[in-house]
Amino acid sequence: MSRTRIAAAAIGLAGALAASQAQAQSASNSDQEIALLKQQLKMLEQKLDKLQNQTAANTAAAAKTRAEAKAEAKAEARSEAKAVVANANAAIPVKGPVAPSGVVVTMPNNRPTICTADEQNCVAITSRVHWDVGGYNYRPNTAATTPQQLDNGENLRRARIGVVGKFFGDWNYALIYDFGGSADGFGGAAAGSLPGGGTSGVENAYLSYTGLKPFGGKMAIEAGIMDIAWTMDESTSSNDIMFMERASAGIIAQNIAAGDFRSAVGTRWWNDQLWMGAYVTGPTTGQIHSASSVTPPGSSEQYGAVARIAGNPISGNGYSVHIGADAEWLIQPPRNLVTQAQTLTLSDRPELRIDPTTLISTGAIANVSGAQVYGVEAAATYGSFIAQGEYYWFNVDRTANTGLPPFGASSLKFDGGYAQVGYVLTGESRAYNAANAAYGGIKPANPFSLAGGGWGAWEIAGRVSTMNLNDQLATAAGIAGGRQTIYTAALNWYVNNNVRFMLDYLHGDISKQASAVSAVNTGSTFNAIAMRTQVAF
């Protein structure tokens, strides 16, 4: 029952009571009627209270019922929604974990490199370009001097490109071709000529295994065409040397049975303080491999050996000391299979290759049965300063039985070396490379950038070198190859890790006579200036 009906009943009952009271008073004011009416009124009040309580209970029950119904509806809707989502997800394929990529491409020192995700297999592109320009102020001592002049111009000294990499972590390889040497050889149509210069060709093609690590160090067993880390100067990359060319004494020494483009098999072992290596060597690339060729003459292949021990026994924060010794043996010189001549020539250009002409040379030494070279090396660094030097002693045996003169000639002895210093004006220093037992290059702390304000690294350097190719003068079997002394000053700008500009000034004195038995002066002096533009990665 609604509150409105209850209130109306109460008002009606109250009106009836009032009417009854009025009638009772007007009739007789009977006490009985009054009592009866009071009793009825009390009953009505009790009934009214009961109806009010019942109404409140019904309202609360209805509200609870509505709330429960609403909650049940929400739960049912939520359950249905979950079922729909579950069905939808069941219809979508479940993705597994993302598989790692098969290769990783990186650019260490701007060298494009592709490796497997575990870095056990890699292949990288490597290249270097060394382009030289320069000129000579050349002065022959007399009209008998050869040559009478040197040419100014340019030389694409090196133009190499190739690949390097590894298989299964321990098998390393390289295949590099050199298109450079545009002024290093006399190309042409003559038999045996190589277009573009005599040194263009395969510079590296080798395989190296580094899985063995005996005595707590590292070891490489390698074979193929390679740059043999013999002599300290040769063990320093041409990208990192302080001068445009290495000193003549080292070049002449390594050209006997070591150096670039050399076929070899051997091993090297090293740790942080010690390096030891030994190789059996053969001919360089581009040699004649024919026993029957007449033009050019066929020849037997030479073989030799090299060994070196060097180390960095003293090192600390900002300083280091390097010492070493090496030896080289020409065991079997090549033999001309047409004339049966067995010769060896020792020579070099005047530490610059704008003009390929050599100023000191022994010529073809006849009846060479073997040769030996022994050398010592030392270097030290202190902060941005470096000093380095090497000296070599040569012995050439002339006891080969070729049937050609001279007969019974004694061995020849030559010697030469260099000393050089360098200082980096911008504060950088050369780090020691234990794998080659030599010092590396300069890495600019602030590469050149107009936007960033960096100016790269600047280095000054000086060198004096000497090479004596004279022996047994005033005898018929003597050699008058000449004595060369060259002073070089250099300024190097390392723009960044990949670009370098080099400026060299050279002064050279060549003391030479016409022959071992002729004292006619055929010497010369020269001044030269040259610049190299270098890019490498």
Side-chain angles (χ1 to χ4, degrees):
M1 183 181 294
S2 65
R3 292 178 179 271
T4 304
R5 291 180 180 178
I6 294 173
I11 293 172
L13 183 58
L17 180 59
S20 298
Q21 287 178 346
Q23 290 176 358
Q25 288 176 358
S26 61
S28 61
N29 292 324
S30 173
D31 293 335
Q32 292 181 349
E33 290 181 359
I34 292 172
L36 179 60
L37 290 173
K38 287 181 178 180
Q39 184 179 1
Q40 290 177 349
L41 179 59
K42 186 176 181 180
M43 292 175 63
L44 287 173
E45 289 177 351
Q46 291 176 351
K47 188 175 182 179
L48 179 61
D49 291 339
K50 184 178 180 180
L51 289 174
Q52 288 178 340
N53 292 336
Q54 184 177 357
T55 299
N58 290 341
T59 301
K64 182 179 180 181
T65 300
R66 286 195 300 270
E68 290 177 351
K70 186 175 181 181
E72 183 177 355
K74 286 183 177 181
E76 184 176 357
R78 190 179 297 112
S79 177
E80 291 178 355
K82 289 182 178 180
V84 171
V85 172
N87 293 336
N89 289 338
I92 299 174
V94 178
K95 291 184 178 181
V98 178
S101 174
V103 296
V104 177
V105 180
T106 58
M107 292 282 288
N109 198 33
N110 289 323
R111 174 181 290 181
T113 303
I114 302 174
C115 293
T116 54
D118 58 6
E119 296 186 351
Q120 294 298 296
N121 303 276
C122 296
V123 60
I125 299 174
T126 183
S127 180
R128 72 184 65 181
V129 174
H130 298 173
W131 182 61
D132 301 343
V133 295
Y136 305 85
N137 178 15
Y138 177 74
R139 298 183 298 276
N141 288 354
T142 68
T145 299
T146 301
Q148 283 290 298
Q149 62 182 2
L150 294 176
D151 186 41
N152 306 324
E154 59 85 31
N155 178 22
L156 185 59
R157 178 67 173 87
R158 297 177 182 90
R160 298 175 185 172
I161 189 167
V163 294
V164 296
K166 64 181 178 179
F167 294 118
F168 302 104
D170 298 324
W171 294 93
N172 305 276
Y173 63 90
L175 177 59
I176 301 172
Y177 195 90
D178 194 347
F179 295 90
S182 60
D184 285 349
F186 295 100
S193 296
L194 295 177
T199 62
S200 294
V202 176
E203 197 261 346
N204 272 291
Y206 68 83
L207 181 66
S208 174
Y209 179 69
T210 56
L212 301 177
K213 296 175 174 59
F215 309 109
K218 299 178 181 180
M219 185 175 184
I221 303 171
E222 43 205 3
I225 308 298
M226 65 187 75
D227 302 334
I228 299 176
W230 185 78
T231 82
M232 188 177 188
D233 217 8
E234 177 63 21
S235 299
T236 304
S237 169
S238 61
N239 291 327
D240 300 326
I241 54 179
M242 287 187 282
F243 305 91
M244 291 172 59
E245 298 295 339
R246 298 179 175 95
S248 287
I251 295 295
I252 293 173
Q254 70 189 30
N255 281 349
I256 294 176
D260 292 353
F261 302 89
R262 180 71 63 180
S263 57
V265 58
T267 184
R268 54 191 167 100
W269 177 94
W270 71 95
N271 59 22
D272 290 341
Q273 283 79 39
L274 182 63
W275 188 102
M276 297 184 292
Y279 295 82
V280 175
T281 67
T284 56
T285 57
Q287 297 298 312
I288 302 299
H289 295 274
S290 172
S292 59
S293 175
V294 176
T295 305
S299 68
S300 63
E301 294 190 1
Q302 78 164 56
Y303 63 90
V306 297
R308 178 177 177 236
I309 181 170
N312 186 33
I314 301 173
S315 62
N317 186 16
Y319 66 90
S320 66
V321 174
H322 167 99
I323 56 174
D326 45 55
E328 176 184 40
W329 301 272
L330 176 60
I331 300 171
Q332 176 59 59
R335 178 183 285 250
N336 186 313
L337 297 179
V338 175
T339 66
Q340 300 305 310
Q342 198 162 288
T343 64
L344 175 66
T345 300
L346 305 181
S347 65
D348 189 41
R349 304 161 184 85
E351 298 180 3
L352 187 64
R353 300 199 181 190
I354 302 300
D355 188 306
T357 305
T358 61
L359 300 184
I360 56 171
S361 176
T362 61
I365 303 173
N367 296 337
V368 173
S369 57
Q372 307 85 41
V373 182
Y374 303 99
V376 293
E377 59 190 63
T381 62
Y382 186 79
S384 299
F385 175 81
I386 183 172
Q388 176 178 316
E390 298 181 85
Y391 207 87
Y392 308 94
W393 293 269
F394 299 73
N395 183 75
V396 180
D397 298 320
R398 298 187 288 178
T399 60
N401 183 15
T402 64
L404 302 172
F407 302 103
S410 61
S411 298
L412 296 167
K413 300 186 184 301
F414 311 109
D415 64 287
Y418 72 91
Q420 63 189 36
V421 295
Y423 183 75
V424 185
L425 301 174
T426 47
E428 292 85 350
S429 60
R430 292 178 177 268
Y432 192 72
N433 180 3
N436 285 337
Y439 290 94
I442 299 299
K443 306 297 182 184
N446 298 292
F448 174 75
S449 171
L450 292 177
W455 287 97
W458 292 81
E459 178 185 45
I460 55 175
R463 179 178 68 193
V464 57
S465 71
T466 182
M467 185 67 212
N468 179 21
L469 292 179
N470 294 325
D471 192 31
Q472 301 177 23
L473 297 180
T475 67
I479 296 294
R483 179 191 292 271
Q484 171 183 280
T485 302
I486 297 179
Y487 305 88
T488 306
L491 174 65
N492 302 319
W493 180 27
Y494 299 83
V495 179
N496 50 50
N497 289 344
N498 304 102
V499 177
R500 176 170 73 156
F501 295 99
M502 308 177 72
L503 181 65
D504 283 10
Y505 169 79
L506 300 86
H507 172 77
D509 293 307
I510 291 84
S511 174
K512 191 175 182 181
Q513 62 185 55
S515 70
V517 295
S518 172
V520 174
N521 185 350
T522 57
S524 59
T525 60
F526 73 89
N527 294 290
I529 188 167
M531 189 184 82
R532 169 171 293 173
T533 300
Q534 171 182 309
V535 59
F537 58 85

